[in-house]
Amino acid sequence: MDYKSITVALPKGRLLKEAVGFLESCGIDASETLTKTRKLIFQWKNFKFILVKPMDVPTYVYYGTADIGIAGKDVIEEKGFDLYEPLDLKFGACRLSVAEPQDIDEPYDIEKLSYIRVATKYPKITDRYFRSKGIHPEIIVLYGSVELAPLVGLSDRIVDLVQTGTTLKENGLREVDVILHSTARLVINRASLKTKYLILKPVIDRMKEVIL
Ligand SMILES: Nc1ncnc2c1ncn2[C@@H]1O[C@H](COP(=O)(O)OP(=O)(O)OP(=O)(O)O)[C@@H](O)[C@H]1O
Ligand SMILES: O=P(O)(O)OC[C@H]1O[C@H](OP(=O)(O)OP(=O)(O)O)[C@H](O)[C@@H]1O
């Protein structure tokens, strides 16, 4: 174990640029991760940056292959690992919502539903949510283009991320319920917090100053 270096799991995709910008404000230069290469590991001073799928950030941090990571609250909730989550980084704001076709025969009414068939990338959050409302969910797991499901008859409804609402609108869907509001968070491996306390503490403190 290298107690002097910090491994950071960064999400590929839409959160990466803002994550790198945030690190930059904290005096940490992760800009090389934005270069258009196929490289997945980058080094700057005693920091190692690994580029992973957004949904995998909590996994790398939980298993200690990364000490810290940046991930959406949606993903953190879905994976459900026990991670230390000290900071809301405020960017990447979106919500996880239930949506349905604008012309559906029986509009969503959470008080009356006893069964729902939904397509989603978030099966655990979806299952927990509907069960907590006394509704039996049948969940069809998809990995993208979830808005397509009701249009082709795969499911009546979907649970997916909404930011501007453009994707829903352009596909004739409407948002009918919000399950979770999400922003990017800093997550930390609980063991690293102890074993690397001396080098992690100043980094976390600096991050807190930048956010406040
Ligand atoms: N439309 C959006 N607006 C704002 N934030 C979003 C939006 N969509 C997703 N996010 C946030 O960004 C995170 C990563 O989203 P992104 O689209 O890059 O990942 P993904 O779709 O899971 O990745 P991939 O396309 O590689 O499967 C999400 O977990 C969420 O927190
Ligand atoms: O409300 P909007 O601003 O339109 O954003 C919402 C869309 O953004 C995300 O999709 P993404 O671009 O990640 O593609 P995906 O379908 O592959 O998940 C999300 O899954 C929605 O489809």
PDB file of all heavy atoms in Angstrom, residues 6 17 22 31 37-38 53 74 91 126 165 209:
ATOM      1  N   ILE A   6      -2.686   9.399  -3.638  1.00  0.00           N
ATOM      2  CA  ILE A   6      -4.149   9.396  -3.563  1.00  0.00           C
ATOM      3  C   ILE A   6      -4.696   9.017  -4.935  1.00  0.00           C
ATOM      4  O   ILE A   6      -4.372   9.665  -5.937  1.00  0.00           O
ATOM      5  CB  ILE A   6      -4.678  10.792  -3.172  1.00  0.00           C
ATOM      6  CG1 ILE A   6      -4.185  11.176  -1.769  1.00  0.00           C
ATOM      7  CG2 ILE A   6      -6.208  10.836  -3.246  1.00  0.00           C
ATOM      8  CD1 ILE A   6      -4.546  12.593  -1.342  1.00  0.00           C
ATOM      9  N   LYS A  17     -15.848  17.143 -17.127  1.00  0.00           N
ATOM     10  CA  LYS A  17     -15.299  18.494 -17.271  1.00  0.00           C
ATOM     11  C   LYS A  17     -15.472  19.302 -15.978  1.00  0.00           C
ATOM     12  O   LYS A  17     -14.531  19.947 -15.511  1.00  0.00           O
ATOM     13  CB  LYS A  17     -15.996  19.205 -18.434  1.00  0.00           C
ATOM     14  CG  LYS A  17     -15.107  20.192 -19.091  1.00  0.00           C
ATOM     15  CD  LYS A  17     -15.623  20.590 -20.462  1.00  0.00           C
ATOM     16  CE  LYS A  17     -15.088  21.972 -20.801  1.00  0.00           C
ATOM     17  NZ  LYS A  17     -16.070  22.908 -21.251  1.00  0.00           N
ATOM     18  N   PHE A  22     -13.516  21.486 -10.827  1.00  0.00           N
ATOM     19  CA  PHE A  22     -13.578  21.554  -9.359  1.00  0.00           C
ATOM     20  C   PHE A  22     -12.213  21.215  -8.747  1.00  0.00           C
ATOM     21  O   PHE A  22     -11.724  21.917  -7.851  1.00  0.00           O
ATOM     22  CB  PHE A  22     -14.654  20.590  -8.837  1.00  0.00           C
ATOM     23  CG  PHE A  22     -14.575  20.360  -7.369  1.00  0.00           C
ATOM     24  CD1 PHE A  22     -14.895  21.375  -6.471  1.00  0.00           C
ATOM     25  CD2 PHE A  22     -14.149  19.134  -6.872  1.00  0.00           C
ATOM     26  CE1 PHE A  22     -14.787  21.172  -5.104  1.00  0.00           C
ATOM     27  CE2 PHE A  22     -14.045  18.920  -5.506  1.00  0.00           C
ATOM     28  CZ  PHE A  22     -14.370  19.941  -4.617  1.00  0.00           C
ATOM     29  N   SER A  31      -6.241  17.977 -15.528  1.00  0.00           N
ATOM     30  CA  SER A  31      -6.644  18.384 -16.891  1.00  0.00           C
ATOM     31  C   SER A  31      -6.249  17.374 -17.971  1.00  0.00           C
ATOM     32  O   SER A  31      -6.888  17.313 -19.021  1.00  0.00           O
ATOM     33  CB  SER A  31      -6.079  19.762 -17.222  1.00  0.00           C
ATOM     34  OG  SER A  31      -4.680  19.731 -17.097  1.00  0.00           O
ATOM     35  N   THR A  37      -7.653  10.919 -25.597  1.00  0.00           N
ATOM     36  CA  THR A  37      -6.852   9.718 -25.825  1.00  0.00           C
ATOM     37  C   THR A  37      -7.669   8.541 -25.304  1.00  0.00           C
ATOM     38  O   THR A  37      -8.762   8.729 -24.775  1.00  0.00           O
ATOM     39  CB  THR A  37      -5.521   9.760 -25.046  1.00  0.00           C
ATOM     40  OG1 THR A  37      -5.835   9.692 -23.648  1.00  0.00           O
ATOM     41  CG2 THR A  37      -4.740  11.026 -25.338  1.00  0.00           C
ATOM     42  N   ARG A  38      -7.156   7.349 -25.428  1.00  0.00           N
ATOM     43  CA  ARG A  38      -7.844   6.170 -24.886  1.00  0.00           C
ATOM     44  C   ARG A  38      -7.246   5.778 -23.531  1.00  0.00           C
ATOM     45  O   ARG A  38      -7.578   4.726 -22.985  1.00  0.00           O
ATOM     46  CB  ARG A  38      -7.744   4.982 -25.865  1.00  0.00           C
ATOM     47  CG  ARG A  38      -8.412   5.218 -27.200  1.00  0.00           C
ATOM     48  CD  ARG A  38      -9.921   5.313 -27.098  1.00  0.00           C
ATOM     49  NE  ARG A  38     -10.510   4.090 -26.565  1.00  0.00           N
ATOM     50  CZ  ARG A  38     -11.718   4.020 -26.006  1.00  0.00           C
ATOM     51  NH1 ARG A  38     -12.452   5.103 -25.913  1.00  0.00           N
ATOM     52  NH2 ARG A  38     -12.185   2.878 -25.560  1.00  0.00           N
ATOM     53  N   LYS A  53     -16.541   4.362 -15.824  1.00  0.00           N
ATOM     54  CA  LYS A  53     -17.957   4.608 -16.125  1.00  0.00           C
ATOM     55  C   LYS A  53     -18.595   5.263 -14.890  1.00  0.00           C
ATOM     56  O   LYS A  53     -18.329   4.821 -13.758  1.00  0.00           O
ATOM     57  CB  LYS A  53     -18.671   3.269 -16.369  1.00  0.00           C
ATOM     58  CG  LYS A  53     -18.479   2.741 -17.763  1.00  0.00           C
ATOM     59  CD  LYS A  53     -19.547   3.319 -18.661  1.00  0.00           C
ATOM     60  CE  LYS A  53     -19.593   2.612 -19.989  1.00  0.00           C
ATOM     61  NZ  LYS A  53     -20.495   3.334 -20.918  1.00  0.00           N
ATOM     62  N   ASP A  74     -27.489  10.031  -7.731  1.00  0.00           N
ATOM     63  CA  ASP A  74     -28.317   8.976  -8.328  1.00  0.00           C
ATOM     64  C   ASP A  74     -27.566   7.643  -8.347  1.00  0.00           C
ATOM     65  O   ASP A  74     -28.084   6.597  -7.934  1.00  0.00           O
ATOM     66  CB  ASP A  74     -28.749   9.368  -9.757  1.00  0.00           C
ATOM     67  CG  ASP A  74     -27.583   9.783 -10.641  1.00  0.00           C
ATOM     68  OD1 ASP A  74     -26.624  10.395 -10.131  1.00  0.00           O
ATOM     69  OD2 ASP A  74     -27.605   9.483 -11.847  1.00  0.00           O
ATOM     70  N   PHE A  91     -22.621  20.593  -8.798  1.00  0.00           N
ATOM     71  CA  PHE A  91     -22.823  20.549 -10.255  1.00  0.00           C
ATOM     72  C   PHE A  91     -23.505  19.231 -10.640  1.00  0.00           C
ATOM     73  O   PHE A  91     -23.721  18.366  -9.799  1.00  0.00           O
ATOM     74  CB  PHE A  91     -21.503  20.770 -11.026  1.00  0.00           C
ATOM     75  CG  PHE A  91     -20.402  19.808 -10.719  1.00  0.00           C
ATOM     76  CD1 PHE A  91     -20.338  18.566 -11.355  1.00  0.00           C
ATOM     77  CD2 PHE A  91     -19.403  20.136  -9.812  1.00  0.00           C
ATOM     78  CE1 PHE A  91     -19.309  17.677 -11.085  1.00  0.00           C
ATOM     79  CE2 PHE A  91     -18.373  19.256  -9.529  1.00  0.00           C
ATOM     80  CZ  PHE A  91     -18.333  18.015 -10.165  1.00  0.00           C
ATOM     81  N   THR A 126     -35.713   2.303  -8.054  1.00  0.00           N
ATOM     82  CA  THR A 126     -37.094   2.195  -8.547  1.00  0.00           C
ATOM     83  C   THR A 126     -37.890   1.181  -7.737  1.00  0.00           C
ATOM     84  O   THR A 126     -39.018   1.434  -7.299  1.00  0.00           O
ATOM     85  CB  THR A 126     -37.062   1.786 -10.042  1.00  0.00           C
ATOM     86  OG1 THR A 126     -36.344   2.795 -10.751  1.00  0.00           O
ATOM     87  CG2 THR A 126     -38.455   1.649 -10.617  1.00  0.00           C
ATOM     88  N   GLY A 165     -35.639  18.525 -19.483  1.00  0.00           N
ATOM     89  CA  GLY A 165     -36.940  17.990 -19.897  1.00  0.00           C
ATOM     90  C   GLY A 165     -37.053  17.841 -21.412  1.00  0.00           C
ATOM     91  O   GLY A 165     -38.067  17.348 -21.915  1.00  0.00           O
ATOM     92  N   GLU A 209     -13.498  24.172   1.663  1.00  0.00           N
ATOM     93  CA  GLU A 209     -13.362  25.634   1.531  1.00  0.00           C
ATOM     94  C   GLU A 209     -13.856  26.104   0.171  1.00  0.00           C
ATOM     95  O   GLU A 209     -14.531  27.117   0.042  1.00  0.00           O
ATOM     96  CB  GLU A 209     -11.883  26.040   1.641  1.00  0.00           C
ATOM     97  CG  GLU A 209     -11.360  26.118   3.061  1.00  0.00           C
ATOM     98  CD  GLU A 209      -9.844  26.272   3.052  1.00  0.00           C
ATOM     99  OE1 GLU A 209      -9.280  26.746   2.029  1.00  0.00           O
ATOM    100  OE2 GLU A 209      -9.239  25.886   4.067  1.00  0.00           O
TER     101      GLU A 209
END
